[in-house]
């Protein structure tokens, strides 16, 4: 069972390792650049900062959460609890010159377990997109994305495995997905002269 702990808008001592700081410094540095840190007890309600300068838009946010999990492996035989600290930074950069739109986005999900450092994780989601107006009636959409995420021990492939068993994974399983989409359109949508051609590819790796 997960229980969220209120942070009361203050940041106390945080158990972040040197390696984790190295992973976070670039992303968090950009998130802090446009405004002061926004504290969020609920990641779904985190404050978002927007900076607009002409054709350039930057949006950033940072969610902070503390959880108490009374059974981190969802096990009926070997119950272990731990406090979990989470950071969820996000960044969107958009550039909209005449007749086109370019976007880059990043979302991170970082977690640290007080009682089980082997379960610490750092997940990343990157996306790059471009819309190009090629003429009066034709346009080209290009979107590429890459996700590098984890699967908590005791879930997914390790669901039901006794944590004391040698078959239990020593670290969370990780997998990555890559996607690419290209879409060409001609004409006006919802008319007889509208044509759309689309091609996509997806790759999943454990």
């Amino acid at each position: 069972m997960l229980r969220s702990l209120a942070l009361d808008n203050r940041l106390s001592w945080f158990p972040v390792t040197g390696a984790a700081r190295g992973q976070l410094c670039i992303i968090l540095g950009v998130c802090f650049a446009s405004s002061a840190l926004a504290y969020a007890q609920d990641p779904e309600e985190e404050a978002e900062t927007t900076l607009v300068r002409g054709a350039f838009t930057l949006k950033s946010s940072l969610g902070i959460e503390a959880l108490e999990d009374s059974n981190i492996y969802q096990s009926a035989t070997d119950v272990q609890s731990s406090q979990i600290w989470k950071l969820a930074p996000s960044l969107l950069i958009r550039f909209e010159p005449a007749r086109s739109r370019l976007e880059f986005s990043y979302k991170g999900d970082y977690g640290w377990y007080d009682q089980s450092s082997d379960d610490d994780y750092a997940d990343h989601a990157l996306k790059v997109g471009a819309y190009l107006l090629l003429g009066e009636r034709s346009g080209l959409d290009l979107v590429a994305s890459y996700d590098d995420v984890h699967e908590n021990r005791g879930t997914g492939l390790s669901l039901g495995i006794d944590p004391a068993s040698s078959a239990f994974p020593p670290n969370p399983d990780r997998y990555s997905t890559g996607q690419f989409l290209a879409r060409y359109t001609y004409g006006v949508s919802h008319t007889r002269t509208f044509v759309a051609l689309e091609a996509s590819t997806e790759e999943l790796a454990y």
Side-chain angles (χ1 to χ4, degrees), residues 70-83:
S70 61
N71 190 356
I72 60 176
Y73 301 135
Q74 302 183 25
S75 173
T77 58
D78 189 357
V79 177
Q80 298 186 40
S81 63
S82 178
Q83 183 172 331

Side-chain angles (χ1 to χ4, degrees), residues 34-179:
S34 60
S35 73
L37 171 64
Y39 294 96
Q41 296 178 10
D42 185 347
E44 295 183 355
E45 297 179 358
E46 61 191 23
E48 184 176 69
T49 300
T50 301
L51 175 67
V52 179
R53 291 292 184 273
F56 177 83
T57 301
L58 185 147
K59 295 182 179 181
S60 65
S61 66
L62 177 63
I64 302 178
E65 190 176 13
L67 301 174
E68 181 68 30
D69 193 335
S70 61
N71 190 356
I72 60 176
Y73 301 135
Q74 302 183 25
S75 173
T77 58
D78 189 357
V79 177
Q80 298 186 40
S81 63
S82 178
Q83 183 172 331
I84 308 170
W85 298 87
K86 292 186 175 184
L87 287 180
S90 69
L91 175 69
L92 171 66
I93 300 174
R94 180 184 298 126
F95 181 58
E96 298 179 279
R99 303 173 63 85
S100 61
R101 182 177 67 251
L102 307 175
E103 284 189 359
F104 168 82
S105 68
Y106 170 83
K107 290 184 178 181
D109 183 12
Y110 299 82
W112 295 270
Y113 288 69
D114 279 355
Q115 304 301 320
S116 179
S117 61
D118 289 337
D119 291 285
D120 295 350
Y121 62 87
D123 295 347
H124 313 281
L126 299 168
K127 181 181 289 186
V128 178
Y131 175 75
L132 307 174
L133 189 61
L134 304 179
E136 292 298 327
R137 295 188 177 183
S138 60
L140 180 65
D141 275 301
L142 300 172
V143 180
S145 64
Y146 176 79
D147 295 347
D148 179 25
V149 298
H150 81 291
E151 190 173 75
N152 288 330
R153 294 197 290 176
T155 66
L157 298 177
S158 59
L159 180 64
I161 301 178
D162 189 340
S165 168
S166 60
F168 197 67
N171 301 101
D173 290 322
R174 298 199 63 84
Y175 63 94
S176 61
T177 58
Q179 294 180 316

